[in-house]
Amino acid sequence: MGRRSEWDVAIIGGGHNGLVCAFYLARAGLRVVVLERRGTVGGAAVTEEFHPGFRNSVASYTVSLLQPKIIADLKLHEQGLHIVHRRMANFLPLPDGRYLAVGEGRTRDEVAKFSTRDAGRLDAYQERLGAVSDLVRGLMLETPPNVTQSGFWTALPEILKAGRLARRLGGLDPAAQRDLLALLGRSAGDYLDDWFESDPIKAVYGFDGIVGNYASPYTPGSGYVLLHHLLGEVNGKRGAWGHAIGGMGAITQAMAKACTAEGVDIRVHAPVAEVLVERGRAVGVVCENGDTVRARAVISNLNPKLLFQKLVDPALLPQDFRTRIDSYRMGSGTFRMNVALSELPRFTCLPDAGDYLTAGIIIAPSLTYMDRAFTDARAKGWSDNPVVEMLIPSTLDDTLAPEGAHVASLFCQHVAPRLPNGASWDDHREKVADLMIATVDRYAPGFAASVIGRQVLSPQDLERVFGLTSGDIMHGRLELDQLFSARPVLGHGDYRMPLTGLYICGSGTHPGGGVTGAPGHNAAREVLRDLKSR
Ligand SMILES: Cc1cc2nc3c(=O)[nH]c(=O)nc-3n(C[C@H](O)[C@H](O)[C@H](O)COP(=O)(O)OP(=O)(O)OC[C@H]3O[C@@H](n4cnc5c(N)ncnc54)[C@H](O)[C@@H]3O)c2cc1C
């Protein structure tokens, strides 16, 4: 017989969104418990030692999307968070021995090495995308208008919200309106082909369109994924990506401290087995150890598929909702490695150490290369010429590796979330890890020999370790019919699920994936509204 406890709010999962949600609710005076399955909170934003003396962000590894309001409200800087800038944004080594270096003050000259026409178009490109991303960024902390079939009085606030949104859209100049439409409907590749003629700059920008997105850069809709990766900022610098000293776990540990200071009870090693439902209402959860936690509101930080396929009795859900959750699309083509390095890599195209070693180093010289990698992965599970982004955070942070040694994150794209013919990633993980290292070694000979330890996470491992169904890093594909009011499904874009008292606060709700904190922030606002009005 398990123990019983009573709370205002029970949160299933202590990912960063669960923590953000818990903070706001506790700050409003509610008694909140967070139940996390793993031995540490943070979900996909954690730092762990993966080789003796070497620590790194295990999954997510670079910060930008985390909302400034959340940093301020949770006083994350006071809790110890320190985010630093990369000294260069991106570096693209090329097979012919040349390279493209992208970052403030150098992009124009660098692009001019390949096309003076493209160099001349950079400012206009940034300006146009900037206008669109400012608009979308402004929606991140808002609850989308919900599509409702209830009566007029329920619909009225949603209609007003939609009206306000239409007014903001109308405020964009016509060129930006066209861009917004193009980015939502077209491919990143088509969009970039309209702007530029040279491959390297299209590859650097286009990489954002395939991150966590198992798709060709020419797949319609990848334009939005590109935009999504531009919605953040680092210490006020829009669109930039940076590094949290101590890795991504430093963000979530600071969040956990903020929660504890507000009285949140955080329990680890506390997997939830089931959402408890009585008379059509979620009234608590049952943990795997048999404990019952009763609460006025139950909030899930899990991806929607995991929640509704594993933790809620299907018989208690409307049939139509179940069908739509079953067809909710999940699956990133992401293969994630952490490597311990005895020395820094030396790239053939630029052998001396420099700022470029703090950059996101992209091995994927063109959009065509990325397209081919995707096609290969569809056919056989991965490509012999895979897409690898490497970041070496120890060039910015001396807390991660012993003196003189380094750690690198390899964020490899375009492996199949599920292998063809029912093959298991467990049988192919090490071989594919060798391939990823060999791919870097082709551009930086000696790299393979410098690897003295490694951690390898296939899509299957990402599911096993973090509960990310089909290895989906965003809790669901970022496609038009799964965005904004339609995330996770139309009619439930306001964080409320079809069982009264049940909410979602994770990346499977607006505004989607990434270490943003926004879904947690927004869900807390809606839960507070409901609990107050009762
Ligand atoms: C490999 C990888 C690389 C990424 N890189 C970046 C990046 O560089 N920058 C960026 O901004 N974003 C990145 N992302 C995306 C980002 O990390 C995620 O979108 C985000 O962390 C998800 O946060 P969340 O709080 O919504 O959910 P999660 O982090 O998924 O948290 C859900 C929590 O629920 C817990 N849980 C699951 N089942 C149960 C259960 N039954 N009972 C109790 N608890 C349970 C899980 O253990 C987990 O802690 C990356 C993701 C991955 C996987």
Side-chain angles (χ1 to χ4, degrees):
M1 187 70 181
R3 289 167 302 172
R4 246 177 90 103
S5 58
E6 303 248 356
W7 299 83
D8 290 318
V9 178
I11 299 187
I12 312 171
H16 83 284
N17 277 313
L19 295 173
V20 169
C21 191
F23 168 84
Y24 284 108
L25 294 171
R27 195 180 68 169
L30 299 178
R31 290 174 310 119
V32 182
V33 62
V34 173
L35 302 159
E36 167 54 42
R37 181 178 60 97
R38 298 188 75 219
T40 178
V41 290
V46 285
T47 304
E48 288 171 14
E49 186 177 69
F50 67 95
H51 183 72
F54 292 81
R55 300 161 64 238
N56 200 14
S57 308
V58 180
S60 64
Y61 60 99
T62 180
V63 59
S64 173
L65 302 168
L66 184 59
Q67 295 297 292
K69 176 178 190 294
I70 291 169
I71 295 178
D73 288 348
L74 276 72
K75 301 190 173 61
L76 294 183
H77 293 312
E78 285 170 39
Q79 310 290 356
L81 179 63
H82 182 41
I83 298 173
V84 296
H85 292 263
R86 299 176 184 178
R87 291 195 289 276
M88 184 190 287
N90 286 108
F91 180 73
L92 188 86
L94 296 169
D96 65 6
R98 295 186 294 168
Y99 64 83
L100 174 70
V102 172
E104 215 168 290
R106 58 182 121 212
T107 310
R108 179 187 288 266
D109 288 347
E110 283 283 316
V111 171
K113 295 190 312 198
F114 302 92
S115 161
T116 48
R117 176 182 175 270
D118 286 357
R121 305 202 76 187
L122 284 168
D123 287 348
Y125 174 81
Q126 296 295 354
E127 201 180 310
R128 290 265 292 275
L129 263 190
V132 179
S133 47
D134 281 351
L135 178 111
V136 180
R137 186 182 292 116
L139 300 174
M140 287 181 81
L141 292 182
E142 293 190 10
T143 300
N146 200 33
V147 175
T148 170
Q149 297 191 324
S150 308
F152 175 75
W153 292 112
T154 310
L156 185 61
E158 310 303 331
I159 294 167
L160 294 175
K161 219 187 272 178
R164 284 194 295 272
L165 175 65
R167 216 172 41 228
R168 276 151 86 170
L169 286 171
L172 278 181
D173 73 47
Q177 288 177 0
R178 286 195 295 274
D179 280 326
L180 178 61
L181 268 184
L183 288 161
L184 285 169
R186 295 176 71 196
S187 73
D190 284 340
Y191 186 75
L192 289 163
D193 285 345
D194 276 354
W195 276 99
F196 303 112
E197 61 184 13
S198 60
D199 283 334
I201 191 62
K202 287 195 273 185
V204 167
Y205 290 158
F207 176 72
D208 279 341
I210 61 148
V211 169
N213 184 18
Y214 186 50
S216 161
Y218 286 101
T219 301
S222 53
Y224 176 75
V225 181
L226 184 158
L227 180 65
H228 191 80
H229 285 97
L230 300 178
L231 298 179
E233 61 169 78
V234 175
N235 303 329
K237 200 168 131 198
R238 296 208 159 162
W241 287 81
H243 172 73
I245 298 294
M248 299 300 274
I251 299 174
T252 46
Q253 288 304 314
M255 288 175 171
K257 275 194 209 165
C259 284
T260 308
E262 291 294 345
V264 176
D265 186 348
I266 298 177
R267 299 186 188 169
V268 294
H269 297 297
V272 170
E274 190 190 338
V275 174
L276 202 57
V277 180
E278 290 173 3
R279 290 187 291 279
R281 179 184 181 90
V283 293
V285 299
V286 182
C287 296
E288 279 185 13
N289 68 1
D291 286 357
T292 300
V293 176
R294 293 187 72 90
R296 295 162 66 204
V298 176
I299 309 177
S300 167
N301 186 190
L302 279 47
N303 75 65
K305 257 202 156 84
L306 184 61
L307 170 69
F308 289 109
Q309 292 185 339
K310 296 274 161 50
L311 267 62
V312 181
D313 178 352
L316 301 173
L317 294 166
Q319 173 64 41
D320 172 58
F321 179 83
R322 268 164 51 196
T323 310
R324 287 191 289 152
I325 288 292
D326 287 346
S327 53
Y328 180 72
R329 292 184 307 287
M330 298 195 66
S332 296
T334 293
F335 190 94
R336 179 76 174 82
M337 297 175 63
N338 291 301
V339 289
L341 302 174
S342 59
E343 59 178 9
L344 285 171
R346 272 187 292 276
F347 282 79
T348 310
C349 60
L350 194 60
D352 293 332
D355 287 353
Y356 76 99
L357 291 175
T358 71
I361 300 169
I362 299 170
I363 296 182
S366 66
L367 296 176
T368 313
Y369 178 103
M370 296 178 205
D371 177 56
R372 214 168 284 146
F374 173 64
T375 313
D376 290 349
R378 296 256 297 184
K380 88 163 207 198
W382 62 86
S383 172
D384 291 335
N385 293 295
V387 176
V388 180
E389 187 196 21
M390 176 163 77
L391 201 76
I392 312 172
S394 49
T395 55
L396 294 168
D397 180 352
D398 60 11
T399 69
L400 301 175
E403 207 182 326
H406 286 273
V407 290
S409 305
L410 302 190
F411 195 35
C412 316
Q413 309 298 321
H414 289 350
V415 302
R418 303 215 193 272
L419 288 173
N421 306 319
S424 166
W425 267 112
D426 291 344
D427 297 328
H428 297 282
R429 179 196 304 108
E430 300 308 319
K431 182 174 44 187
V432 173
D434 290 343
L435 166 72
M436 299 305 177
I437 289 174
T439 302
V440 179
D441 196 81
R442 281 213 298 272
Y443 290 82
F447 177 75
S450 74
V451 175
I452 53 178
R454 73 187 196 187
Q455 176 184 42
V456 186
L457 295 161
S458 71
Q460 204 173 327
D461 298 317
L462 292 175
E463 177 158 356
R464 214 165 9 216
V465 178
F466 298 107
L468 297 166
T469 302
S470 300
D472 197 312
I473 75 167
M474 305 287 191
H475 285 203
R477 296 183 61 83
L478 298 177
E479 291 171 341
L480 192 53
D481 65 338
Q482 300 193 164
L483 286 177
F484 202 52
S485 302
R487 192 166 184 86
V489 293
L490 214 56
H492 298 281
D494 63 351
Y495 309 93
R496 296 173 180 86
M497 294 299 115
L499 295 169
T500 311
L502 181 63
Y503 303 81
I504 302 197
C505 71
S507 302
T509 56
H510 173 71
V515 179
T516 68
H521 167 278
N522 298 352
R525 184 180 51 225
E526 299 307 318
V527 173
L528 277 175
R529 198 167 280 163
D530 288 356
L531 291 186
K532 272 192 200 147
S533 70
R534 259 204 266 136

